Amino acid sequence: MRIEYASEQGQGAANEDRVAAGMDWAFVLDGATAAPGVDSGCRHGVGWLVDRLASALAAELGAERRAPLTDVLAAAIERTRAAHGGDCDLENPDSPSSTVALVRRGEADTRSGGFSPTDVRLEYLVLADSAVIFETEDGGVAAVSDDRLDHLPGGRPYTRELVRASRNARGGFWVAGARVEAASEAVTGTVATAGGRFALMTDGCTRLVEYYGHSWEQVWLCLRKEGPHALISWVRNEERRHGVPRGKRHDDATALVGGFGAPRARPG
């Protein structure tokens, strides 16, 4: 396993991104900062939420039983929900929440000959606007993201009321917060990769593609050759040169790049 990451605070009072990795899994979280004056119904802040969610996810991913990733996330949300205690209104749509981008090394089936060291399967889960990038078997680069927030009715700029009504709702977008059923709405899949190589990033980094028109191939090349610190520096330079079409000029930015190597065998 090889993992390298960087995380840099944006304009907010604290960095609300989180990152963690184990022997065969890794994830990034991006806490959703509430708009000024919004009553979340919760006595806890976003930092509290992402800390609890990160801890719960790491515990579930490290469990002996290997559950589907949607079940892993559902259990982590349930743990986090219980940690609120009884003083928070968890039915409030503005309750603290987070994006999730998660990968886990897949299992090799020894009954069919297994996989070569250059053919490693990765399971992924993405909820809201973070991203997973991986190097495909043919040397290409592919990215998986959850862009439902970009397709709300009427187009941007969205009103606060529309976002509130669309959060964790059918036909809207989904985030990890107090609604356990959000886990089943995540974008999931399994892919064959070159050497198990992948990257994870929050939307403070994906704006290189979404705002500034760079390709995922360019992003991947920067990560592989120069590392995540260089990628975040690239983001900041673009923000200073061109500004941003929406949101904070400097958002929290987190990037992780790594590889899991040969797959873990499943008994035949």
Side-chain angles (χ1 to χ4, degrees):
M1 180 187 75
R2 305 171 306 281
I3 298 289
E4 182 182 2
Y5 74 89
S7 186
E8 183 177 297
Q9 183 177 332
Q11 290 180 225
N15 188 342
E16 294 169 342
D17 288 357
R18 298 293 185 271
V19 57
M23 288 303 298
D24 62 356
W25 55 264
F27 63 78
V28 298
L29 308 178
D30 180 0
T33 306
V38 171
D39 178 12
S40 71
C42 180
R43 64 187 178 89
H44 303 106
V46 175
W48 180 94
L49 181 282
V50 290
D51 283 341
R52 295 329 184 265
L53 182 61
S55 177
L57 262 178
E60 293 294 331
L61 287 162
E64 185 175 350
R65 184 179 75 90
R66 186 181 176 89
L69 291 182
T70 50
D71 291 355
V72 167
L73 179 57
I77 293 174
E78 185 59 56
R79 285 189 187 215
T80 305
R81 182 182 174 92
H84 280 275
D87 298 329
C88 300
D89 176 12
L90 300 183
E91 300 307 311
N92 186 323
D94 293 314
S95 182
S97 62
S98 176
T99 74
V100 182
L102 162 66
V103 295
R104 182 173 64 184
R105 179 172 51 187
E107 294 178 307
D109 187 348
T110 57
R111 291 169 298 185
S112 59
F115 296 93
S116 74
T118 58
D119 181 13
V120 179
R121 291 192 178 275
L122 293 181
E123 302 171 350
Y124 63 81
L125 179 150
V126 183
L127 190 66
D129 54 359
S130 291
V132 175
I133 308 169
F134 51 88
E135 186 175 351
T136 59
E137 294 172 295
D138 61 3
V141 177
V144 178
S145 59
D146 176 4
D147 65 352
R148 282 172 286 190
L149 182 56
D150 294 328
H151 300 288
L152 299 186
R156 294 183 185 272
Y158 301 140
T159 65
R160 184 181 298 179
E161 293 74 18
L162 175 63
V163 173
R164 189 175 195 271
S166 302
R167 186 182 292 113
N168 283 348
R170 301 292 176 188
F173 66 101
W174 295 82
V175 288
R179 297 281 297 276
V180 175
E181 59 268 36
S184 64
E185 299 291 335
V187 178
T188 61
T190 302
V191 294
T193 65
R197 292 187 287 272
F198 66 92
L200 307 172
M201 60 185 62
T202 61
D203 69 338
C205 291
T206 62
R207 55 178 52 182
L208 283 169
V209 175
E210 295 160 358
Y211 288 3
Y212 304 119
H214 301 291
S215 68
W216 287 116
E217 287 79 7
Q218 290 171 308
V219 169
W220 177 252
L221 188 63
C222 177
L223 282 170
R224 291 280 291 157
K225 288 195 169 184
E226 302 179 59
H229 287 283
L231 185 88
I232 293 175
S233 293
W234 184 16
V235 173
R236 297 301 189 228
N237 287 336
E238 292 290 74
E239 290 165 342
R240 286 188 285 266
R241 290 176 59 200
H242 304 295
V244 298
R246 60 180 183 271
K248 302 174 185 176
R249 183 179 184 186
H250 301 302
D251 197 3
D252 297 342
T254 299
L256 177 152
V257 62
F260 291 135
R264 184 174 59 186
R266 185 173 70 230

